[in-house]
C-alpha cells in the first residue's frame, strides 16, 4: 500500500444559472489532476436560460483542455506538466475573454496536481486555502508564499504556484469565496481533525444550511491515505 493524496469534494449550486463542477483525472504515472471550476452567470429571472448552457459548455471546454495538456504528457515531470497545464488554462481563458469581456471576473478556477504525498496548486479568482497540521489551521494562500510562477497576466491569473508535502494526519482544504463566507468554523475544525464520512456529511449539511439561495459553494479536501496505486490503461 502506497500513501497517496486522496481528494474529497462537493459542490452546492443553489442558482441553476451558474456552473460549478469539479473534475478529477488520473494519469498513467499515478498522479492526479484536479480542476475546480466556478463560472457565474448574469442574474436571470428564470432558472433555465441560453447562458446557462453556454457557461456549462465553456466550463467543460476549459477542463478538457487542461486535462489534455497534463495527462497526455505523462513522460514529463509532474511540475513541468503542471506549468504547461496552467499555460494552457491561461491561453484558453484569455481567448474566451476576447469575446466575453467580463468573463475573467466571472470565473474562479483552482488547478491541482498531486502524486504520492506532494501537491502543486495555483488559482484564478478568490479561493480560501488552508492546512490543518498538528491541531492548527494554517493559511496557505499564495500571498504568504514566495514561490512565483513566471506565467503572469495583468490580472495575475495563476501568478503563484504553491508546492506542499502532505504528511500523515495533515489536511488541505480549498473553498471558493461563497463557501468561505458560509463555512461553519466548528464543523470545519471537526472535519479537518477527523475526515470520517460522518464528519464529511455533517460538514456538507452545515454548508448547505448556511449558504444563501444564490450562492455557489465549492469545496475540496486533500488528505493522505494508504491505498494501492491505480494502473491506468494507455
Amino acid at each position: 500500500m502506497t500513501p497517496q493524496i486522496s481528494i474529497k469534494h462537493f459542490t452546492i449550486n443553489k442558482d441553476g444559472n451558474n456552473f460549478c463542477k469539479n473534475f478529477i483525472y488520473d494519469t498513467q504515472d499515478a498522479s492526479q489532476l484536479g480542476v475546480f471550476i466556478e463560472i457565474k452567470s448574469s442574474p436571470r429571472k428564470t432558472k433555465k436560460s441560453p447562458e446557462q448552457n453556454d457557461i456549462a459548455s465553456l466550463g467543460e471546454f476549459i477542463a478538457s483542455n487542461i486535462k489534455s495538456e497534463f495527462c497526455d504528457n505523462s513522460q514529463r515531470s509532474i511540475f513541468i506538466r503542471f506549468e504547461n497545464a496552467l499555460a494552457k488554462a491561461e491561453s484558453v481563458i484569455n481567448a474566451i475573454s476576447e469575446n466575453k469581456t467580463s468573463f475573467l471576473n466571472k470565473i474562479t478556477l483552482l488547478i491541482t496536481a498531486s502524486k504520492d504525498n506532494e501537491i502543486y496548486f495555483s488559482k484564478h479568482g478568490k479561493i480560501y486555502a488552508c492546512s490543518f497540521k498538528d491541531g492548527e489551521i494554517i493559511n496557505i494562500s499564495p500571498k504568504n508564499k514566495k514561490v512565483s510562477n513566471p506565467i503572469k497576466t495583468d490580472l495575475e491569473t495563476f501568478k503563484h504556484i504553491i508546492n506542499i508535502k502532505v504528511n500523515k494526519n495533515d489536511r488541505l482544504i480549498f473553498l471558493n469565496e461563497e463557501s468561505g463566507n458560509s463555512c461553519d468554523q466548528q464543523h470545519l475544525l471537526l472535519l479537518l481533525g477527523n475526515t470520517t464520512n460522518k464528519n464529511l456529511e455533517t460538514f456538507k449539511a452545515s454548508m448547505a444550511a448556511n449558504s444563501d439561495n444564490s450562492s455557489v459553494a465549492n469545496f475540496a479536501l486533500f488528505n493522505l491515505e494508504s491505498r494501492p496505486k491505480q494502473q491506468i490503461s494507455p
Side-chain angles (χ1 to χ4, degrees):
M1 303 289 281
T2 302
Q4 292 188 83
I5 290 175
S6 174
I7 305 173
K8 299 179 176 69
H9 59 90
F10 74 91
T11 63
I12 301 170
N13 188 355
K14 292 190 175 182
D15 185 341
N17 288 316
N18 294 319
F19 177 84
C20 190
K21 191 171 181 179
N22 300 332
F23 303 83
I24 309 296
Y25 304 108
D26 294 302
T27 66
Q28 292 181 354
D29 69 338
S31 60
Q32 277 192 319
L33 172 71
V35 182
F36 306 87
I37 302 179
E38 169 199 339
I39 305 175
K40 294 182 178 180
S41 67
S42 302
R44 297 279 181 175
K45 294 182 179 180
T46 59
K47 289 291 183 181
K48 295 182 179 180
S49 68
E51 186 183 14
Q52 181 183 3
N53 295 328
D54 186 27
I55 63 174
S57 297
L58 289 176
E60 299 279 354
F61 177 72
I62 292 168
S64 176
N65 275 268
I66 297 170
K67 174 192 174 184
S68 296
E69 188 64 42
F70 185 86
C71 297
D72 293 349
N73 297 287
S74 58
Q75 73 278 6
R76 297 181 179 178
S77 72
I78 185 173
F79 181 71
I80 294 299
R81 286 184 288 142
F82 184 65
E83 280 196 316
N84 291 342
L86 295 182
K88 173 60 74 172
E90 182 186 38
S91 174
V92 171
I93 290 174
N94 286 339
I96 294 172
S97 65
E98 289 181 0
N99 296 319
K100 299 178 179 294
T101 55
S102 62
F103 184 73
L104 284 173
N105 296 322
K106 292 182 177 180
I107 183 170
T108 300
L109 180 59
L110 169 71
I111 304 176
T112 69
S114 59
K115 185 176 181 181
D116 299 330
N117 71 327
E118 190 170 22
I119 178 174
Y120 296 92
F121 74 88
S122 191
K123 69 182 183 67
H124 168 83
K126 295 181 179 179
I127 291 176
Y128 175 69
C130 67
S131 68
F132 181 82
K133 190 177 184 68
D134 298 328
E136 293 186 58
I137 293 182
I138 303 169
N139 187 353
I140 54 171
S141 57
K143 66 181 181 180
N144 294 331
K145 299 291 183 179
K146 297 180 179 180
V147 180
S148 294
N149 176 12
I151 304 169
K152 297 180 181 180
T153 67
D154 292 337
L155 293 178
E156 298 187 346
T157 301
F158 309 122
K159 181 180 179 181
H160 299 277
I161 292 177
I162 306 301
N163 173 224
I164 293 176
K165 289 187 181 297
V166 180
N167 299 316
K168 184 179 180 181
N169 298 324
D170 290 354
R171 313 278 188 265
L172 303 180
I173 189 168
F174 299 94
L175 301 141
N176 69 340
E177 184 176 17
E178 285 78 5
S179 298
N181 291 338
S182 62
C183 180
D184 186 311
Q185 291 295 318
Q186 180 181 357
H187 288 134
L188 177 59
L189 281 168
L190 177 66
L191 175 65
L192 291 177
N194 189 349
T195 56
T196 63
N197 288 333
K198 180 179 179 180
N199 284 349
L200 181 59
E201 291 304 319
T202 300
F203 182 71
K204 289 180 183 180
S206 173
M207 292 278 288
N210 291 337
S211 300
D212 62 42
N213 290 330
S214 63
S215 70
V216 179
N218 203 9
F219 156 94
L221 174 72
F222 292 69
N223 67 290
L224 203 64
E225 292 185 355
S226 292
R227 56 191 176 93
K229 289 188 177 181
Q230 295 183 348
Q231 296 298 321
I232 308 299
S233 301

